Each structure stands twice: as structure tokens, then as C-alpha cells.
Amino acid sequence: MTTVAFLGLGIMGAPMARHLVNAGFDVAGYNRTFAKTEALVQAGGQAAETVADAVRDADVVAVMVPDSPDVRQVLAGENGVFENAKPGTLIIDFSSIRPDVTRELADQARELGLRLLDAPVSGGQAGAENAALSIMVGGDADDFAAAAPVFEAVGKTIVHVGPSGAGQTVKAANQLIVAGNIQLLAEAVAFVEAYGVDTEAALKVLGGGLAGSKVLEQKGANMLGRSFTPGFRIELHHKDLGIVTSAAREAGVVVPLGAVVAQLMASAVANGDGGLDHSALLRGVLRLSGRDLEVSSGEEN
């Protein structure tokens, strides 16, 4: 039985770790807030009090934490993975971070006799809960093949996209597309509401045509009901768009629409919406339009 250390048991990491238990892996979970290990223990996993305790005997170390500094600390920081993992350990970083940081950490891992894959995911909380995530993987092809059983336990669409950092680059592109779709959906909702249209009916017919998308399917109801409990927080998407705009500048690529959405995301954070689901970009559209942020029946024109 392969032993997996899972570091980071938040909205995404917790269900992923449970799926690994259900797939037959021996899983030890670590989270800075220890209470978040309880669900994993109830599912048949184990709780570790430190990163070192979790990874010391692990064959695979899975990481799912918020940002580049968090990954750097967990892997290369004092009492982290690099100090405590046994040689040959396969590290799978499911976090979404900067491609350059991934490449740097992969080089450090290689020097220590460890293997690192960057494997950011898409699909949000629903994808994590249903083991239906899309996983874009960067790193060595042999390591990708070795990680297949882990990926298959938590994901549905699993693709090796290139060397170290490639997974993070593709994830950045994913977040650019998703952010643009959410912003335009928010604008469409505000638009039809302003004309007194049956918004639920409107989204139903829009979803059946070329305007249909996973974003509309998964986020439309949130906007209609003004229900913004996070699957994926605005503050994290704000971070991801920072990665996009920075990396695009380094590559000499222009992302004009992406830059605008990045500013709207920053505005949402500045207005206190960072902890809400990214579908709450609707609130920014309503603010700019001088509309009520609560559910409105619209007005006849």
C-alpha cells in the first residue's frame, strides 16, 4: 500500500485526501489548523501534528496550499519536506503558484534526490468533492507515469503538459479564461435583471447556445440567489491573475482583457469581497451600475 502525506486540508485538499483513502492509499494528513484533520481521520486516514511527521515515511507527498510562499515554506522551509522526506519521494504539488517558483523548487528537489511534479487542478470544490478535477501536470514523464494512481483517485482529465512549470503555466491560462467568463456572466446577469427579464429562464436558454459554459452551469445559480459561499475565493483568483499578468509581461504577451478583469478582481478584494466565491464578481458590476447588491426583481423599461 502506497503511503501518502497530504499537506493542506482546506476546501480542495480535504476531499482529495479522502478520495485517496477510499482508493486504498495509507494517508497521513497535515494542516496548520489541526482540527481540519478530523474529517480525514473519520474517513480512515491519520492526522500528523507536523510536516515532518507526515512525510518521514511517505512514498508520495501531496501539497495543496494557497500561494507560492506557502509552497516554498512547506517544501524548502525549516522542518519542511526537503529536510524530512526520504530519497526518491515523489512530491506532487497540486497548488496554483508561479511557474518560476515551481522550476526553482523542482531543481532543489532534484539535487536532494527527490522528484517534484507541479499538478495544479481545475474544477473547484465540486470537482474535488466528486473526484472529477482536471489536472495539468508539469515535470518528468516517468514521474508523471508513476503518479498516475494518485491522479486517477482525485481527477478525471489528467494531462502531462510539459516540463517543470508547464502545469502552472497552463493553470494560469485556465484562471485567465475562467475569470473572463465569470466577469462576462456577471455583466449579463446585471443586464437582464435591469430589464426585468426572468433571469433564471434567460440563463437556461443562454446555456443551451454558444454562450453555454461550465461557468454558467456552476456559477449562474450563485449569482441569481446572491449566494457566494466559496467554492473558490476571490482572493485566490486575485492571486492567480497576478501570476497571469506577471508571467505574460515576462513573455512579452499582451492580455488586455485579462488585465481589466485583474483590476476588477482587485477592486472586489478592496471592497471586502475577497473571502467570497469568485461568482461574487457580480457585486462589483452591481456597484459600478449603482444597483442593489441584494436580489432584485429588476425594473420594467
Side-chain angles (χ1 to χ4, degrees):
M1 182 183 293
T2 302
T3 300
V4 177
F6 207 107
L7 312 179
L9 299 172
I11 289 175
M12 300 292 289
M16 293 169 71
R18 293 196 299 271
H19 288 311
L20 289 171
V21 171
N22 293 337
F25 292 95
D26 183 5
V27 181
Y30 167 79
N31 198 82
R32 284 183 298 183
T33 304
F34 186 75
K36 290 188 177 181
T37 62
E38 183 177 343
L40 177 62
V41 172
Q42 291 178 350
Q46 304 170 46
E49 294 189 358
T50 66
V51 170
D53 289 341
V55 309
R56 191 170 290 116
D57 297 317
D59 303 305
V60 176
V61 174
V63 180
M64 179 56 102
V65 294
D67 202 352
S68 301
D70 305 296
V71 174
R72 196 190 297 277
Q73 179 61 37
V74 166
L75 295 185
E78 184 177 359
N79 295 318
V81 175
F82 288 172
E83 286 187 5
N84 291 281
K86 61 188 180 184
T89 298
L90 178 60
I91 303 166
I92 304 173
D93 182 19
F94 289 112
S95 315
S96 296
I97 67 171
R98 287 166 37 193
D100 60 321
V101 172
T102 282
R103 290 191 292 269
E104 175 190 329
L105 291 170
D107 289 342
Q108 291 181 38
R110 194 175 302 110
E111 292 173 1
L112 295 168
L114 305 171
R115 302 173 290 163
L116 175 63
L117 294 171
D118 52 297
V121 303
S122 179
Q125 183 178 8
E129 294 283 358
N130 296 318
L133 294 167
S134 290
I135 309 175
M136 45 223 84
V137 187
D140 183 81
D142 290 340
D143 294 340
F144 172 72
V150 173
F151 292 143
E152 290 167 359
V154 299
K156 186 175 181 181
T157 302
I158 304 153
V159 181
H160 183 227
V161 294
S164 292
Q168 299 296 352
T169 301
V170 175
K171 177 58 187 293
N174 179 86
Q175 296 303 80
L176 174 63
I177 294 169
V178 171
N181 271 270
I182 291 176
Q183 177 62 29
L184 286 173
L185 175 60
E187 293 177 15
V189 168
F191 175 68
V192 297
E193 283 185 350
Y195 276 90
V197 172
D198 181 336
T199 315
E200 184 175 353
L203 293 191
K204 181 177 181 180
V205 70
L206 290 172
L210 193 58
S213 68
K214 290 291 185 182
V215 165
L216 195 156
E217 290 176 15
Q218 295 184 19
K219 302 300 179 178
N222 294 26
M223 294 186 186
L224 295 185
R226 307 296 198 264
S227 176
F228 302 124
T229 300
F232 190 77
R233 300 192 304 276
I234 280 178
E235 60 194 7
L236 291 179
H237 213 143
H238 173 53
K239 176 264 297 183
D240 290 343
L241 291 183
I243 292 172
V244 170
T245 54
S246 176
R249 183 169 59 249
E250 290 176 10
V253 175
V254 297
V255 286
L257 293 180
V260 171
V261 178
Q263 291 300 306
L264 293 168
M265 199 79 73
S267 174
V269 172
N271 278 282
D273 290 346
L276 301 179
D277 186 77
H278 48 183
S279 55
L281 282 180
L282 173 65
R283 289 167 57 85
V285 177
L286 296 173
R287 285 191 196 96
L288 290 171
S289 302
R291 297 273 170 171
D292 191 340
L293 299 187
E294 301 303 321
V295 178
S296 171
S297 60
E299 58 185 43
E300 298 297 336
N301 287 275

